[in-house]
Amino acid sequence: MTTGAQPAPPRGLYLHVPFCRSLCPYCDFVVVAGAAAFGPRSRMGGYLTAIEREIDLRAKLMDAQFGSLGSANRMPLETLYLGGGTPSLLPTDRLASLIERIRDRFGLTPDAEVTLEANPGVDERGDLAGVAQAGVTRLSVGVQVMDTTALRALGRRHTPDDVVATIAAARAAGFASLSMDLLADLPDLPFDAWAASLDAAIALAPDHLSVYALTLSLGPDEAGDDRLATPAGAVAWRERAAAAQDEERGALELEHLNSRLPAAGYNWYEISNWATAGHESRHNTLYWERASVAAVGPGAHAFDGVTRRWNSANLDAWEGALQQGELPPGGESQIESDAARAAEGLVLALRMSRGVERDAAVREGFSEVLAWGEANGLLAPHPSDASRIQLTLRGRLLSNELFSRIV
Ligand code: SF4
């Protein structure tokens, strides 16, 4: 049974930039690298023309569905997120015109959060002063680890010194918020070296830290779309790396984060994210709240509150359609029942430190799983609001076990 949930106009927009200098062997993002990303055979020019067309076409659809920008039902975007790939490879003048185009077609609130992902390598980080001038307010830096040997083992191009230089350049450019992405459970990296890397990252005083365990997909086509097959060399690398990961060491690292980051002034607000006050990612919070987020670019995923839609991850297919003035191919799916929607909402809400209102979750039929979670130490009352329930540290470690009982 459904209650007829209605599509909503987007509050955020995700724009995918699929170019990287080189391909990291663990990466599952939609990326083209090497000659396709840089130099005389770069596909950047064709991509930029196509993405402008997609912005225009998607905005036209919004106008038809929800009314034109400025009408009662069509508020300007609160967030824009340029992710990749390596969006810091975009030429600064084209970045500025892309943001202007989005402001013109979708609107951006005066205090909109505009995030750009940047890599720290000297030939990857771009002109950060120009990026800030183009309207980016938040820089998300792909640090991964502050350890030269571990970076090299991951196939990354940058060094810890490059990270220091990138953060200094970002501070000088005046971004309102700086975030770093770090990895945990790295193959062969002893706990002490990983903890020292965390300290080196904290010493640079980012406003926000995302820390994800390295996940290595070993089988083909796990993403379920038409992205390029993982190169054989990367598959072999992943098999070796997976054997050198250590679940217990990974758990120890999460426990360490739980004490080290609050001591340094960071609050955990989502299962893998910590921020100083006021620096939580507004864009990612839209996803965790199941809000409507539009998306453009190859492989980009959108949600309108009812339907999930995704673009072809194949750059040729995506670009070819847009060259013809058509929307790119892709797919869509809907969660049909209220029960499935409620379950997805509960899982996403439990990822966040504010957790869920216990009575509301009980009314939706989740009393049994909540009781199981509490009995097994995965859930506990929220320390500052007893009417809410949140994941414990153990719950964050074993969240998949809990979530698989909900959905
Ligand atoms: S830089 Fe990031 S997006 Fe690019 S290949 Fe490496 S992990 Fe993937």
Side-chain angles (χ1 to χ4, degrees), residues 18 49 69 71 76 91 100 113 136 142 144 155 157 170 184 186 193 208 217 236 242 258 262 339-340 349 392 394:
T49 304
L69 198 55
S71 61
E100 266 324 293
E113 175 192 89
V136 172
Q144 317 314 342
R157 302 169 65 82
L186 289 169
H208 182 280
S217 53
N258 195 50
T392 59
R394 180 175 154 78

Side-chain angles (χ1 to χ4, degrees), residues 42-350:
S42 163
R43 300 195 57 178
M44 182 72 89
Y47 161 83
L48 283 165
T49 304
I51 198 95
E52 287 174 358
R53 285 192 184 158
E54 188 177 8
I55 290 167
D56 293 352
L57 289 170
R58 298 273 176 217
K60 250 192 210 167
L61 282 182
M62 297 294 151
D63 293 347
Q65 194 175 6
F66 302 112
S68 56
L69 198 55
S71 61
N73 197 27
R74 184 87 188 284
M75 303 306 284
L77 300 173
E78 299 160 38
T79 68
L80 166 63
Y81 194 104
L82 296 109
T86 310
S88 54
L89 293 178
L90 288 173
T92 310
D93 58 333
R94 299 302 297 270
L95 169 68
S97 63
L98 271 184
I99 294 175
E100 266 324 293
R101 193 175 207 96
I102 290 163
R103 193 189 305 281
D104 184 52
R105 311 292 200 271
F106 284 85
L108 281 170
T109 59
D111 69 339
E113 175 192 89
V114 180
T115 303
L116 178 121
E117 290 181 349
N119 276 345
V122 278
D123 58 356
E124 299 172 283
R125 61 178 170 252
D127 161 20
L128 292 180
V131 167
Q133 265 172 14
V136 172
T137 63
R138 181 174 183 270
L139 197 72
S140 175
V141 184
V143 174
Q144 317 314 342
V145 61
M146 292 291 282
D147 181 289
T148 308
T149 311
L151 281 168
R152 207 167 292 147
L154 284 171
R156 301 295 302 213
R157 302 169 65 82
H158 65 270
T159 65
D161 284 349
D162 292 330
V163 176
V164 174
T166 300
I167 297 298
R171 289 279 178 224
F175 294 100
S177 212
L178 279 184
S179 179
M180 283 186 188
D181 282 354
L182 297 176
L183 289 170
D185 198 7
L186 289 169
D188 290 324
L189 188 66
F191 172 82
D192 287 350
W194 180 86
S197 152
L198 179 66
D199 286 348
I202 291 170
L204 297 173
D207 306 295
H208 182 280
L209 281 160
S210 298
V211 190
Y212 288 90
L214 177 69
T215 33
L216 297 166
S217 53
L218 299 171
D221 295 335
E222 277 185 26
D225 60 25
D226 59 351
R227 69 190 59 206
L228 295 175
T230 308
V235 172
W237 184 95
R238 292 177 193 192
E239 282 166 1
R240 276 195 309 274
Q245 287 185 297
D246 178 342
E247 218 172 273
E248 276 179 29
R249 191 180 59 212
L252 199 61
E253 290 170 358
L254 179 58
E255 276 177 44
H256 183 69
L257 288 169
N258 195 50
S259 56
R260 182 69 185 91
L261 289 181
Y266 298 91
N267 305 311
W268 86 271
Y269 72 100
E270 195 272 345
I271 213 160
S272 303
N273 289 278
W274 287 259
T276 57
H279 287 279
E280 297 82 4
S281 163
R282 287 164 56 197
H283 186 81
N284 287 337
T285 300
L286 292 179
Y287 295 123
W288 300 320
E289 292 179 343
R290 295 184 85 246
S292 174
V293 178
V296 291
H301 284 234
F303 180 57
D304 66 5
V306 178
T307 303
R308 294 192 188 283
R309 173 194 68 69
W310 55 91
N311 279 345
S312 166
N314 180 300
L315 186 55
D316 290 332
W318 173 82
E319 198 179 311
L322 287 159
Q323 276 169 357
Q324 304 299 317
E326 292 164 12
L327 281 170
E332 64 174 52
S333 70
Q334 276 185 19
I335 294 181
E336 297 294 348
S337 72
D338 288 344
R341 252 197 305 276
E344 186 186 85
L346 179 62
V347 166
L348 289 171
L350 281 174

Side-chain angles (χ1 to χ4, degrees), residues 16-33 83-87 117 119 124 142 144 154-158 183:
H16 189 73
V17 182
F19 301 102
C20 284
R21 279 291 203 156
S22 58
L23 197 61
C24 307
Y26 58 89
C27 181
D28 270 326
F29 295 122
V30 173
V31 165
V32 293
T86 310
E117 290 181 349
N119 276 345
E124 299 172 283
Q144 317 314 342
L154 284 171
R156 301 295 302 213
R157 302 169 65 82
H158 65 270
L183 289 170

